[in-house]
Structures are given as structure tokens and as C-alpha cells.
Amino acid sequence: MSAIVKTLNHCSPDPVKVDGSHSLTIALAGNPNAGKTSLFNSLTGLRQKVANYPGVTVESKSGLWSLARHLPPARVVDLPGLYSLDATSLDEEIARDILLRRATNIAIPDVIVVVVDATNLVRNLYLATQLIDTRQRVVIALTMFDRAERSQLKIDTKQLSDALGVPVVPVVARRRRGLEELSRAVLDVIEGPPLEDVRGNGFPLLVENALADPAGRHSKLIKRYALIERIVSDAVEISDQGRLSFSERIDRVVTHKIFGPLILMLVMLLVFQTIFSWASLPMNLIDQVFSALSDSVRTTLPAGVFTDLLADGIIAGVGGVLAFLPQILLLFFFISILEDSGYMARAAFLTDRLMRAVGLHGKAFVPLLSSFACAVPGIMATRTIENPKDRIATIMIAPFMSCSARLPVYTLMIAAFFSGQKVLGVISVGALIILGMYLLGIAVAIVVAWIMKRTILKAPAPPFVMELPPYRVPQLGNVAHTLFARSTVFLKRAGTVILAISILLWALVAFPRAGSSTFLQKERAAQVQNSFAGRAGRLIEPAIKPLGFDWKIGIGLISSFAARETIVSTLSIVYNAGDNPETKSSSLVDALRSAKRSDGSLVWTPLTGLSLMIFFLLACQCMSTVAIVRRETNSWRWPTFMVGYMLVLAYAASFVTYQGGQLLGFR
Amino acid sequence: MTLDMIPQNVMARVTSVAPADGHSLRLMEMGVVPGAPVRVVKAAPLGDPIHVCVRNYHLALRRAEAKSITVTLHDSGAID
């Protein structure tokens, strides 16, 4: 703690030369929901960059801001939101270290622009006055100024500025009001005399967080609030107090005992349905474009390993990566709207009690529900959970939500072994089985979360103290920025891993070579059966036999690590069931039904089908999930653990299903 | 009286926040300090967490956290 004091003594800023030789760095700090991101987007436009802070998974956003015509644009860093310089989460720690000039390998800010919500002055000024006390160059941007005016708050910015000793500039980011004044204030602060001379208005220096003793900390904190209250009551005139706010009126319905959960269900249904059905259109398009591309490569280039690598490895791999984009874009379209509007906090408020039953936070609800469409965007959405252990627990159970990639496997198995069967004459067995798969996934997730929160992720229950921000109309610009940032993050970080694994998996199927070309139907089957993957399938046959699987299914299991739905095409190849997409499924169904072991018994029974479905529900056969977990946890430890424990669970569940089923006399 | 016990939509004032644990500091940084006006807006449909209004902004917190905040009721009574 004494490090802070030491740093503070050294952080009186050196004079900055504003002649274009030195490019300026400006840090944007402020409370969460104070309008920091809106201001950042208005200042920088499209000139921004999203990256991670070195060594951690906290996102760093920076952009360029043209302060004045004669100067090169300044670099603006949008810091994670924080309430004070006493950090409690990793995000806040990073913001604090940069603000206190303790961060290495990140440029020291020349000026700090503190974003202060005009409608919530007292609380926002807590951080602002802490920063003023560090004697760095500070400018206050008073956001939501139009809202303050509308709710009859009269703020005397001149008086506020005099009392605090720093410039206070009212801004309305979405109307670009006050941005020029803000540039001028920043330039004035840089060019002006050293801070100590401008101040001297009696605002006392309180550096409370250097104290280890909590009682002392509390009393300093209370003192600071008392000072802020005095400053605010001098500078602000409130003419209309006690009126129910607009947001509270909306909350009367949105978090109502009955309507609240109902609205939440409708919202989630809409999100879910959209990702589920609308995303399939562009996904099919991407699929068609890439298979056409790979076909044209085959017809134009001479047959050989290189052509195969290009067509089946690289083009198919890139297509596989891009196929996730529609889902990610759609989910984050909704998430950023829900977040910008303020609804996300209400969803967490409504579901917290439910999620707490398994030791999780209300904020885990939306990511988990999204994972029913696809775990990849669901896992990316866990960033809103501040507590790292809660976040990991949520990530670890997200793949149990039965995602859309399992459906081709379910439908194939049901078409082959349960089609046309009915219970009580009306309910189809297939529908019941699919429903059962979804429920089983949820049940397993609950049990696993419960166990993890009591063992490897054990931690005292994190406090649930969450601001319910006022409702706002989401801004299209902010939504677009989020979408752009999410997709680049996915393509750059996860895309490379996915591409590498798909080329590796291609090689497993393509080598050693059986013939010169794998273009012909019959040769393809022979190639796959003799490849490394085929050999591996035979190798693992003894292990998967108790689950009811033979070596051909083993090949399917290995190749489907790339993506679950791959097993359908792999099975078509190994069962030599034709490559025509029109006839593929029906001929594959026939091939599965008639496949025989060497002793003449059937390979596939309904019980085998059920066992395979359960295996696909519980095993982590999705390299995109692995790649995104690697990225989001910043280590290979968690993705390795995830693949491992899910494999054990899947094996055990399939074993119990198949062996238990046989004991009970099912086939 | 603690914050989890007071009726809905009655103005109250914070008198103390139990010190020494992590979340009390967070609450105090967010302006839940002695003297701050508070009002319980409602409880979530399952009874917990609760929605409170502090210093004109809105906050959700669990009953366990609300227990550490002592309040006195305001004279002016209910609003709206």
C-alpha cells in the first residue's frame, strides 16, 4: 500500500510540450454507466483499436482524437469503469494502475478526462476528486447534461469548476455537444501553468487508500463524501425532488412480480429464436460459398496433396471459422442493445436468486441462455461477470447447454432409429428425446456448477451490489462499435486456433495416402479408413466398445472434435453413403440401419443411437469453444481441463446408458 | 433497523454501514454513507435481491448485504 504514496509523490506532471513532437495520451476514466463509452465513440469515431492489456484478459480500447488542427491526433484510452481508486476487480485494478502511473508498458496519460454523470453528481465526484488529489492534469466531462436539464437540475459549472480547481465541461456525446469545448479545455490544461499554482482553493488532499486500517478508511471516505456534498449543494439547484423517475416507472412493469419474469422470457425467446433461425440463413450461405470455392479449386487445380490441403483443409477451415460470425453478430447485436438500454442489469436482478441456488451470479443468466444457440458467443458474453471465479464457473458449464450444432446429430439418430414412433399415440418419441437432451444438459450443468463452486472454484460469495442504470435508448453507433470489436476479436484470436486445428484434423484424415486422389467416392472411403484417423478409430475401439460404438464411429468421434456436426459427413464417407447432399441423409440412415459387425450382428441399435446422442451432449467436441475459452481465460489450463472433465462425464454417461440399457433388456 | 427490514417506498437515512468486510467498502464508495437518503423500491420476484434508491440513483443488492446497512426512517414518510 505504501507504494501508492510513493508514486503519488512523483506524479506531479512534467510540463508537456505541445508542438507536435510529442503525441499526447489521454485517459478516459469514470464510473460504470457514466457515458464513458459514448463519449469515447464520439471523440474517436471509427479510429479505434481493441486489444488486451498485456498478460490479462481485460480489454483495452484506444482511439485517436483530433484535439486541434495543428496537432497530431491524441491517443485516447478508454479505461474500464471504476467507482474509486480502491480496486476490487481486475478491470478496476488495471484502470487504477494506469491512472496512478504505476502501469508498466502502457503509456502514461498526459491528461485524465474524468467522465462525470451530471444526473448523479455526488457519487461520480467521489472518483473525480480522488483523481484531482493525485495532482495530475484532470478535466471533468459532465455527461448526460441534457438529462440533468430535463430533470430540473440546475448545475453551475463555473462554480463547480472553481470549487474543484479543474475545468468542468458539459457534454452531450450523442449530439456532439461540448466536444470542441472539451478539446480546448484539455489543451488549456496541458499548456497552462503547473497544477499547484491554479489550485489553492482549499480542497484538501485526502489519500485514504494508503491506510490499511478499515475504520480509518471509512472515516476518510465519509469525510470526502461530506465535502463533495457541500460542493454539490453549492453548485446545484434542484427544483423538483422526490418525483418518480422515468426509469422507475418503467421498472414498475419490467421488474414487476409477474410481468417481469414474463417479459424476460419473451425477450430471451426472441433472442434465442433469432440466433437459432435467422443465423442459419447466412450460415448456409457461407457454407455454400465455401464448398463451391473448394469444388472450383478441385476442378481447376491438378489433383494432389496440395489441392486437397487447399480445398479440404484451408478453405473448409476458413469457412468453418466464418460460419460462427452470424451467430456472434446476432447475439452481440442483442446483448449490446440489452446492455445499452439498461435491461441487462434488470435481467440479472430478476434471475439472481435463481442463479444463486447453484452458486452463480445473476449476470450468468444471459450468457448461459445464449449458449443454447452457440457456446462461443455465450462464453464471450461472460465478460460482464466481474468475479473471476464466477466467470470461470459459468464458462465451464456453458458447453452443456445443448447448442444448435448438436441438432444434426440428434436428427440423424432420431431419423435412423426413432422415426415415426409415438407415445400415447400423439407425442413423437423423437421430440421427447430432444427435450430430454436439453433437460439433461441443464441438469448436468447445475450439478457441475454446484460441485465446482464448492471445490476448485471455492470462494466466499461475491457481493451482489449492482447499479441499475437509468433506461436509455440504445445508440446505433455504440451497437455497431460493439459488433465490430467482437467480430475482430473472434476472427483474430479464436480464428487462428480454429484454422490450425482444422488443418491438423484434415491431415489426420488425409494421411497416409491411399491413392493419388481422394476425389472418387470409393477411394475416399478407403482413404479415410486407412488414414491416421481411421487407425486411431481402430485403436480406441476397445475403449469405446462398452458404449456401443465400433471403430467407424470412433473415426466420427475423432473427426467431430472439429465441430459436432462433422460426424454426419464423416459417417457418410466411412459408410460410403454417397456425397450428394440431397440423398445423403436418407442413404446414410439406410447405411446405418444395415451396418453389420463381422459376426453378423447389427452395429447400430436404438440404444447405440441414444448412447451416441448423450456422448455428443456431454463431450466438448468443439474446437471453437476450446479456442474461445483459451482466449477468454488467457491460458491453456482451463480449456484442457474442460475438454478432459467433459470427456470423462460423456464417457461415463454413455457407458451407463448403454450397459444399463442392455441390462434392462433394451436393444 | 437495517435496510432489509424497512417497508417499500419509505424514505430513510443511512446511519451506519458495518465496517471491515469487502462489500461494505464498495457500498460506501458508491455513496451509501451515513446521512445518505435511501429508499427500498421493491424486492425481486423471488424476494431477493432488493432494489433500492440511494442519492437519486438505483442499486440492486442482496438482503445479506442490506443487513449490514443500518437506517432510520425519515419523518416525511412515503412518496408518490
Side-chain angles (χ1 to χ4, degrees), chain A residues 404-413 417 505 509 528 540 544 548-579 584-585 588-589 591-592 604 608-609 611-617 619 621-622:
Chain A
S404 49
R406 273 119 163 165
L407 280 177
V409 185
Y410 297 163
T411 27
L412 175 67
M413 291 299 123
F417 308 111
L505 283 168
V509 178
V528 170
I540 64 168
I544 57 176
F549 307 158
D550 72 345
W551 65 274
K552 287 183 176 176
I553 305 177
I555 300 176
L557 292 184
I558 291 166
S559 70
S560 66
F561 179 74
R564 295 178 174 94
E565 65 271 27
T566 313
I567 194 175
V568 179
S569 56
T570 308
L571 286 179
S572 324
I573 294 172
V574 290
Y575 281 107
N576 206 354
D579 218 15
K584 183 162 72 184
S585 61
L588 179 57
V589 163
L592 293 183
W604 291 85
T608 317
S611 171
L612 190 78
M613 283 160 81
I614 288 176
F615 191 90
F616 269 77
L617 169 71
Q621 290 157 296
C622 177

Side-chain angles (χ1 to χ4, degrees), chain A residues 395-463:
Chain A
I395 290 175
M396 287 294 125
I397 61 169
F400 286 124
M401 306 298 128
S402 194
C403 70
S404 49
R406 273 119 163 165
L407 280 177
V409 185
Y410 297 163
T411 27
L412 175 67
M413 291 299 123
I414 284 165
F417 308 111
F418 302 100
S419 65
Q421 299 178 32
K422 296 250 194 290
V423 176
L424 304 172
V426 276
I427 310 161
S428 100
V429 172
L432 276 184
I433 290 178
I434 292 187
L435 181 69
M437 288 296 147
Y438 279 90
L439 294 179
L440 180 65
I442 296 169
V444 170
I446 289 174
V447 173
V448 168
W450 194 87
I451 294 172
M452 279 188 179
K453 287 295 290 177
R454 273 156 192 76
T455 53
I456 49 169
L457 294 171
K458 192 170 176 164

